[in-house]
Amino acid sequence: GESVGLHLPTLSVQEGDNSIINCAYSNSASDYFIWYKQESGKGPQFIIDIRSNMDKRQGQRVTVLLNKTVKHLSLQIAATQPGDSAVYFCAETTNNFNKFYFGSGTKLNVKP
Amino acid sequence: DVKVTQSSRYLVKRTGEKVFLECVQDMDHENMFWYRQDPGLGLRLIYFSYDVKMKEKGDIPEGYSVSREKKERFSLILESASTNQTSMYLCASSLEEAGPNYGYTFGSGTRLTVV
C-alpha cells in the first residue's frame, strides 16, 4: 500500500470535477486489488476491484487503472459529488486471497 | 441485507481491564479478521481465522488474543488493556474462495478508548 505517514493525504476537489486518487503498492506478486471507501463513523465499503490481467476497469462513475510496471493503482471518480467525501483505501493481495494489505488512505474532500 | 455486526460502537475501559470485542457475521463466511485503524497508519491486521477454532497471528498480535467457537462469531480479547490500544477496531469477513467482487465485508467499527 501507500507509504506510511503520520498525516492522511487529503485531496480537495470542487463538486462536479473529476477526482483521481493514487496508490503505490509494494508487492509485485499482488494480483488482485480493491478500492474501499470509508465514510466517517462507518466501516470500509467495497467500491471496485481489478485483477492483474487487466489494466482498466470501469464501474458506475468510477474507474480503476492498474500499472503493474510501476506498481501503481489509481481510482478515478467522475463528476465528484458531496457524498463522495470519505477516506479511500487501496488493498492488495496475492494468490492467497484470504488476506489483504491496505494502504494508509487518502481523504477526499468535496467542496460544494 | 448481509452484514457484519460489531457489538459496540464506543467503549471506554480502564488500564489493566480485560476487554472483549465481539463480531458476528450472517453471510456464512469462512474467514474472519480483526484490524485496528490508526490515523496515518491504515489498517493493520491483528488476528484472523480461516475456520472454527482456528486462528492465526496477523502483523500486530501482541497484547491481543482471539476466539472463534462458532463460524459466525469472532471475538477479540485485550488481555490487559493499555493506553496504546486506544484505537478503532474493525472486524471483517470474507469467503474462503475467490470469486466475483471478492473481498472483505467490514463491520462499522468499535472505537475503544483506554484511560
Side-chain angles (χ1 to χ4, degrees):
Chain A
E2 295 174 351
S3 299
V4 172
L6 293 178
H7 302 288
L8 200 62
T10 299
L11 174 66
S12 293
V13 299
Q14 206 68 40
E15 181 179 358
D17 287 352
N18 297 333
S19 302
I20 300 177
I21 300 170
N22 296 304
C23 177
Y25 64 92
S26 55
N27 187 351
S28 57
S30 292
D31 58 3
Y32 182 63
F33 306 86
I34 296 178
W35 278 101
Y36 286 91
K37 172 186 179 183
Q38 186 176 23
E39 296 174 275
S40 180
K42 297 182 179 179
Q45 291 182 296
F46 175 98
I47 301 174
I48 191 168
D49 61 352
I50 188 167
R51 298 186 185 275
S52 59
N53 60 353
M54 305 170 67
D55 54 20
K56 180 178 180 179
R57 188 159 188 235
Q58 288 185 291
Q60 187 176 15
R61 281 203 307 119
V62 294
T63 301
V64 56
L65 299 177
L66 174 63
N67 185 330
K68 295 181 288 294
T69 303
V70 295
K71 293 188 288 186
H72 184 269
L73 198 65
S74 69
L75 176 70
Q76 299 178 358
I77 305 173
T80 313
Q81 302 169 359
D84 295 327
S85 293
V87 176
Y88 290 82
F89 299 93
C90 64
E92 60 182 295
T93 189
T94 64
N95 263 334
N96 176 13
F97 281 83
N98 294 319
K99 195 161 67 169
F100 284 83
Y101 292 93
F102 291 82
S104 55
T106 296
K107 184 175 182 180
L108 177 64
N109 179 33
V110 182
K111 298 176 285 186
Chain B
D1 190 21
V2 294
K3 59 184 179 182
V4 175
T5 303
Q6 294 183 230
S7 54
S8 303
R9 291 298 302 274
Y10 299 95
L11 277 179
V12 180
K13 297 292 181 181
R14 295 194 180 278
T15 300
E17 275 193 80
K18 190 170 186 176
V19 181
F20 293 86
L21 302 184
E22 306 289 346
C23 175
V24 177
Q25 51 96 2
D26 63 2
M27 296 167 284
D28 202 34
H29 282 174
E30 291 83 5
N31 305 327
M32 296 188 76
F33 305 82
W34 275 106
Y35 285 84
R36 65 177 283 177
Q37 183 178 28
D38 300 288
L41 296 178
L43 278 72
R44 294 181 290 168
L45 182 63
I46 305 171
Y47 267 97
F48 59 103
S49 170
Y50 291 146
D51 202 349
V52 175
K53 296 190 184 296
M54 179 274 176
K55 61 184 179 184
E56 293 220 10
K57 293 180 179 179
D59 301 318
I60 51 165
E62 296 78 18
Y64 303 95
S65 62
V66 289
S67 172
R68 193 162 181 203
E69 295 296 317
K70 295 183 178 181
K71 188 175 184 180
E72 66 271 18
R73 186 180 296 271
F74 193 36
S75 302
L76 179 69
I77 303 157
L78 285 66
E79 298 291 342
S80 177
S82 63
T83 54
N84 63 12
Q85 291 178 310
T86 292
S87 186
M88 168 71 87
Y89 289 87
L90 287 164
C91 176
S93 70
S94 72
L95 290 167
E96 181 180 24
E97 298 293 332
N101 291 338
Y102 178 86
Y104 293 169
T105 300
F106 282 93
S108 297
T110 296
R111 186 167 292 282
L112 173 67
T113 301
V114 183
V115 297

